[in-house]
Amino acid sequence: NNNNNNNNNNNNNNYHAQLHSQNPPPQQQGIAKPSSTRSFAAAASSDEPLVKTALYSLHKDIGGDMVPFAGYELPVLYKSENGGVMKEHLWCRAAGKAAMFDVSHMGQIRWHGKDRAAFLEKIVVGDIAGLKERSGCLSLVTNEQGGIIDDTVITNAGDYIYMVVNGATKFGDMKHFQEQMEKFDGDVTMEYLEDSMQLLAIQGPGAAEAVKKLLPSGFDLTKMAFMTGVVTTLDGIDGCRVTRCGYTGEDGFEIAMPAENAVSIASKLLSDPSVNATGLGARDSLRLEAGLCLYGHDLNETINPVEATLAWTMGGPKSRRRKEGGFLGAEHILKPDGKLQKVAKKRVGIMGMKAPAREGAEIYDAAGENKIGDVTSGTYSPCLKAPIAMGYVETPLAKVGTEISLKIRGKMQKAVITKMPFVESHYYRVPE
């Protein structure tokens, strides 16, 4: 479970995901800044055009309800027979079914140069030098104080290292990377793929069957482990990348393809009756059921990996990164012996309240007298048919089973600290 930082193997299988962000990007590079960080339908400033992904027309054709998100125009849901947040969400978890998301707003970067792993270990907390070819990991980009600038999935692609960062943070991330590269004495270059490569996520129990139909005949998906990625042809198109990862708690893949081939690949996937186009609304409720963070909400530059219960991204207590540190802010996160520094607050799951608690709702002790924290994400769980939330509380009250109160619309409601994920995860394991 993701509250147990020592249980790294499980955790790597519990967490992996990119935690995609909806907080506003810097106003540059033609990226519009939504006026509200919370609303999916935040109004964009009229003088800056939103970026359209290669699938924009396809989304519109199949009933996509387009909203501004991370400077892009993306579907929040589809007005179709199997559309709407609830139906789209449940489809993704249903036996034999798969959900398809357009995640082309994410930033894709290739790192080159013989010192690329050494450089990345200065800017992220994970063991990048130790990644076997084709293997990937979730990692965190930290600042000098140990706060989280972004979360990212990093894969050793052999000749280069492939990195995916959040859409809303990508330009800020790259500015930070550039500043750190100027201080680095070594051979490293950053290649930002811009919108030349589009990204789709296929998630759900039927994802492997759906993706298999596009792969070369000899490709054995049963041997493809979770958090591994490979360059391959898809539907006969060269230069595509398939990574077994995702953001829903289900088995699934993120597939990158040249922009000019995105529509044909997406259409081929959607021609499979088991695949349903799915928007940002269900993406948010699915990741919350899976106990996964959304950057800009559950993670930000003032929260460190220990507070976020993501210390496992550094490895176990005896791991090299825990012992050596060497990344920005390590001294604020680790003691000299590699043990974790004590923190005053921790990220927790919350259930038991009668009404959904939204971001910003205040958390109190059981008596409802002392404020102990805040909700950072909350929704109604379509699978559990009950409200679920995530937030931060004072460390002594972060234990699973602790009774708490939530202030929802001015009224106190009883709730309880709950283990995450809320819904059992089904990440793929290669058969023994």
Side-chain angles (χ1 to χ4, degrees):
N1 70 72
N2 30 346
N3 292 328
N4 178 352
N5 289 331
N6 299 325
N7 194 353
N8 287 307
N9 294 338
N10 286 351
N11 268 343
N12 219 5
N13 283 344
N14 266 6
Y15 241 103
H16 71 279
Q18 290 65 319
L19 301 82
H20 301 227
S21 164
Q22 71 195 57
N23 74 291
Q27 288 180 297
Q28 62 186 77
Q29 313 265 353
I31 297 295
K33 182 177 178 182
S35 59
S36 152
T37 60
R38 180 62 209 153
S39 166
F40 281 116
S45 57
S46 57
D47 55 340
E48 300 206 23
L50 289 165
V51 181
K52 292 176 169 59
T53 73
L55 299 179
Y56 178 82
S57 298
L58 176 66
H59 294 312
K60 295 282 281 188
D61 290 347
I62 60 175
D65 183 358
M66 308 304 282
V67 299
F69 184 85
Y72 285 71
E73 236 177 310
L74 289 166
V76 67
L77 54 83
Y78 292 85
K79 293 171 176 167
S80 59
E81 190 192 345
N82 298 309
V85 174
M86 185 73 81
K87 279 185 177 175
E88 290 169 24
H89 178 112
L90 293 170
W91 184 287
C92 183
R93 300 234 191 271
K97 305 280 198 232
M100 186 188 88
F101 306 84
D102 182 357
V103 289
S104 303
H105 61 295
M106 307 282 288
Q108 299 179 69
I109 296 167
R110 289 179 190 151
W111 292 96
H112 304 280
K114 66 174 170 39
D115 301 316
R116 58 190 180 270
F119 172 72
L120 285 170
E121 289 198 348
K122 291 205 178 300
I123 59 169
V124 304
V125 304
D127 181 358
I128 307 307
L131 279 178
K132 295 191 176 82
E133 193 168 336
R134 296 187 177 182
S135 289
C137 64
L138 174 75
S139 202
L140 304 169
V141 182
T142 48
N143 61 23
E144 276 86 352
Q145 290 72 48
I148 300 168
I149 292 176
D150 206 356
D151 51 86
T152 173
V153 171
I154 297 173
T155 307
N156 176 2
D159 298 339
Y160 58 91
I161 291 171
Y162 174 68
M163 176 189 237
V164 178
V165 295
N166 282 306
T169 49
K170 61 187 177 183
F171 295 114
D173 289 356
M174 288 188 286
K175 184 172 175 281
H176 170 73
F177 299 157
Q178 212 70 55
E179 286 163 4
Q180 296 305 313
M181 282 163 77
E182 282 160 23
K183 298 175 189 172
F184 180 71
D185 184 21
D187 173 25
V188 63
T189 54
M190 173 175 76
E191 178 195 4
Y192 171 45
L193 301 184
E194 303 192 39
D195 293 312
S196 65
M197 291 294 280
Q198 299 283 281
L199 200 60
L200 291 174
I202 317 297
Q203 299 282 301
E209 278 304 310
V211 170
K212 193 167 94 178
K213 292 171 185 171
L214 277 70
L215 287 164
S217 56
F219 197 112
D220 187 358
L221 269 186
T222 63
K223 291 192 169 69
M224 186 176 192
F226 193 68
M227 292 307 286
T228 63
V230 62
V231 173
T232 182
T233 59
L234 273 180
D235 201 25
I237 292 151
D238 287 333
C240 299
R241 168 171 281 280
V242 176
T243 309
R244 196 163 207 156
C245 69
Y247 192 47
T248 61
E250 300 298 328
D251 184 24
F253 304 85
E254 291 194 352
I255 57 177
M257 75 286 298
E260 58 271 23
N261 305 115
V263 171
S264 69
I265 288 175
S267 303
K268 185 79 178 258
L269 284 161
L270 289 171
S271 70
D272 185 325
S274 71
V275 178
N276 192 37
T278 308
L280 295 166
R283 186 170 178 75
D284 194 48
S285 52
L286 287 158
R287 68 92 193 167
L288 190 46
E289 283 187 346
L292 301 171
C293 300
L294 177 66
Y295 192 85
H297 300 267
D298 314 301
L299 303 175
N300 62 45
E301 294 198 17
T302 69
I303 292 168
N304 77 31
V306 184
E307 293 167 331
T309 65
L310 294 174
W312 60 266
T313 57
M314 297 181 280
K318 296 189 165 59
S319 65
R320 179 176 66 86
R321 295 306 320 259
R322 285 273 295 266
K323 285 196 291 213
E324 290 176 8
F327 52 88
L328 279 181
E331 67 279 10
H332 298 289
I333 298 167
L334 299 169
K335 295 176 183 171
D337 63 358
K339 289 201 169 91
L340 303 176
Q341 299 246 21
K342 295 262 184 290
V343 291
K345 62 177 181 181
K346 281 212 159 155
R347 184 173 64 91
V348 294
I350 303 164
M351 280 191 79
M353 52 282 190
K354 290 190 169 65
R358 302 298 179 189
E359 179 179 6
E362 295 179 342
I363 307 172
Y364 288 79
D365 58 14
E369 286 164 11
N370 303 305
K371 184 176 179 243
I372 59 165
D374 297 280
V375 169
T376 53
S377 285
T379 194
Y380 176 83
S381 160
C383 291
L384 301 174
K385 298 184 171 50
I388 57 173
M390 191 189 284
Y392 285 80
V393 300
E394 292 169 10
T395 304
L397 295 162
K399 249 178 101 156
V400 168
T402 303
E403 291 185 7
I404 56 165
S405 308
L406 294 177
K407 197 173 191 178
I408 300 172
R409 298 196 193 96
K411 293 198 174 107
M412 285 294 181
Q413 289 207 24
K414 294 206 173 304
V416 66
I417 304 292
T418 308
K419 182 169 165 271
M420 293 187 287
F422 298 102
V423 170
E424 190 189 349
S425 299
H426 299 108
Y427 302 128
Y428 182 74
R429 288 177 186 269
V430 175
E432 297 283 323

